[in-house]
Amino acid sequence: MKYIFYTYLALVLVSCSNNKNSSSPRWEQAARGVWKVSVGDPDKVNLLSELNIVPNLDAIAEIRESPLPFGREEVEIEVVDNRTFLRFPLEESEKIFGLGLNFKTVEQRDRILRLHVDHYGGRDDGRTHAPVPFFVSSRGYGVLINAARYIDVWVGTGVRKDSEHPPVARDRNSDLDWTAKPYSDNLEILIPAGGAEVIVFSGPTMLDVVRRFNLYNGGGCLPPKWGLGFWHRVPTLYTDKEIEEEVKEFEEKGFPLSVIGLEPDWMTAAYPCTYEWDPGRFPEPAAFQQTMKERNIRTNLWINPYISPQGELYDKIEPYTSSHTVWCGLVPDYTMPQAQDLLKQHFRKHQLDIGVSGYKMDENDGYDFWLWPDVATFPSHTPAEQIRQIYGSLMQKITTEMYEEENIRTYGLVRAGNAGTSSFPFVLYNDYYNHRDFITALINSSFIGVFWTPEVRASHTSEEWLRRMQTVCFSPLAMLNAWADGTKPWSFPDVAEQVNEVARLRMSLIPYLYSSFADYAFKGIPPVRAMNLEEGYRADVVLKEVSFDATANPYAMALKQEVKDQFMVGEYLLVAPLFEGEKERQVILPQGKWYDFYTGECVGEGEVITASPGLSKIPVYVKDGAVIPLYPETAKLDGTKYPLEIRHYGEKPGTYSLYDDDGESYNYRKGEYMRIPLEVSVDASGKKEGKVETSDIERSWSFSDYRFVFY
Ligand code: GAL
């Protein structure tokens, strides 16, 4: 008996000294090809728990099945001292993508990150607007760490004593093969909590992984059709009359315009905010909205989260706010339904009810001084760290829901997000302004279920201005944000015509873009995507068996490098922006033949080409067999039905599933939408023939007629 007691005591002491939670990970299937793995005692509030997400299980079930590329026992999870450690195996040639909205790197192997919501500070260290703790592996699986915590990730940097593939210790003085970063065969994660939930997604391809991830988060958002037009934000002190003048100028000059964005001074007070119209600049907000509506212009309003004592919301929301203020304004605890409801009521009364179409939600990301500190307390008792990690997500959820309750779609901007926001119609932006890095962020956004806009603000030269305009027109939100500089699309007269041309091209692409966004909503396929997610472009083809040779095998050579400056838009378009100072650039074409979008000329197949299209064009290439539906470039998105130009490129026959609905409401969720099959056949002699059911076109919301154009 005595012996048993001492043995028991010894065991208790050993386990206490390690403070190790020995419970083994619990695996539970959450959907086809999706598993929830939990260990210890996970936080009540996590990245997804507050967002009311309904996974789209039916759409997930349609993705082909594939086992995980490793055994469960190869994933190590343990809880020690109130911290959770995770370890995933890494193969030598494996690549890791995702892990937040990075601006300088696409591949994350060899990196150390602390994923922390913040304004991007110029370094890919994990502090960013959407530090989504989700990674996708080139082995065909992905993992979401579902914890609203500052999460540390070592992506193939730590070398363990018990490694299965231990690198050899070398002497730096005498061995030329010595390396400062010896090979590591694991990806390690630290979550500062006594347990965690991890969600594992299978492939087989990386695109399948990303699709499962997006669909598990409710699917992608489908913006209203007007959201895909051209956006322009006016300087902050503009009045209603000045805005009307600016809108008129767009009309007179023949520049497309769908949305006008108002900056902080539409309100009686900002930083902190009242969310109430300034009577001096906007004496009759409802009449102003009406004028904009008559001109077919939507309005989008800047806000930040902090509540001003000058406004009527202050006293009502005060009981549901943090111990700390920001800019002396209240910080609502938006995990609480009371705070959510008060915000909705206020927004309805002052904006939604008079026709405002959405928000730009600023300053919910950080900069540390402009946020609450982690010692702040919140009335729901949710720790400040957790609130910080999900604040942007919560604001997206509240405003989306408010519009959904009225059966109206919104589209807006936000400076912070995280996992679980793919179904919310918001696009991330920031104050950083590097054109190249903006494109890298665009590519990275596609791995982690968020949108990003490389917005245009100002430029030093007309060349840079045009290059920036060209890329923003191929992004989820084509916007000029002139809040500080008062720039207009025509601000650089020598390139004004080319800017107009690309803005009009954007308008003509809307049927194609809208269908691509529908594929995001229904199938989880990101409309703007990294090349690594493209079939025929294989990230794992760091062809071990091929020896690299810049002349004989340039494709393999290119794949060895990280691709940060070209991307896919929709099913068929490859976009390769040029940057200021460049006359030409290299473009990696995936397998199969590719054609110039503008001329239809074949440019190559599975190879690296040099593009030199001149200043007026952004290089765009089209996959063989592509079918691309276009509006006339003068289309206005005002409910008019327009004739379609249906282009076909290349030699292969092709099909396209053209999507259409009313463009504004959520009725598509009740089945009120159409998929119109477009088809082009090519016979043995190369003769092409196009087919569409005319009755489909007649029944559609957006198209009056069609004609085929064969390139
Ligand atoms: C910044 C934001 C800018 C602009 C500005 C207005 O925080 O990133 O786009 O809206 O606020 O004060």
Side-chain angles (χ1 to χ4, degrees), residues 141-285:
Y141 80 99
V143 175
L144 169 67
I145 310 299
N146 186 16
R149 294 279 181 182
Y150 305 147
I151 297 168
D152 289 316
V153 192
W154 292 265
V155 193
T157 60
V159 182
R160 292 178 58 99
K161 272 198 311 198
D162 60 0
S163 161
E164 279 191 29
H165 315 93
V168 180
R170 296 176 190 276
D171 170 33
R172 197 180 75 161
N173 295 337
S174 58
D175 191 338
L176 290 178
D177 287 334
W178 181 90
T179 162
K181 284 187 179 175
Y183 166 65
S184 155
D185 61 359
N186 59 167
L187 186 161
E188 293 167 296
I189 297 168
L190 190 164
I191 307 156
E197 179 181 278
V198 172
I199 307 178
V200 182
F201 302 84
S202 72
T205 66
M206 291 208 291
L207 181 60
D208 294 324
V209 175
V210 167
R211 289 183 59 196
R212 279 200 176 85
F213 172 70
N214 289 333
L215 291 167
Y216 191 76
N217 291 328
C221 69
L222 180 60
K225 218 178 231 187
W226 54 259
L228 301 181
F230 194 83
W231 293 50
H232 177 70
R233 307 199 77 85
V234 295
T236 188
L237 285 167
Y238 258 37
T239 63
D240 54 358
K241 293 290 167 260
E242 285 169 305
I243 295 174
E244 283 169 33
E245 283 309 307
E246 192 126 315
V247 168
K248 242 192 246 159
E249 224 183 328
F250 269 79
E251 281 167 9
E252 282 160 13
K253 291 189 173 343
F255 273 79
L257 180 65
S258 299
V259 184
I260 275 284
L262 277 55
E263 289 290 314
D265 291 85
W266 66 270
M267 282 184 250
T268 46
Y271 295 87
C273 301
T274 58
Y275 314 135
E276 290 162 33
W277 293 89
D278 179 86
R281 283 182 286 273
F282 296 90
E284 290 178 276

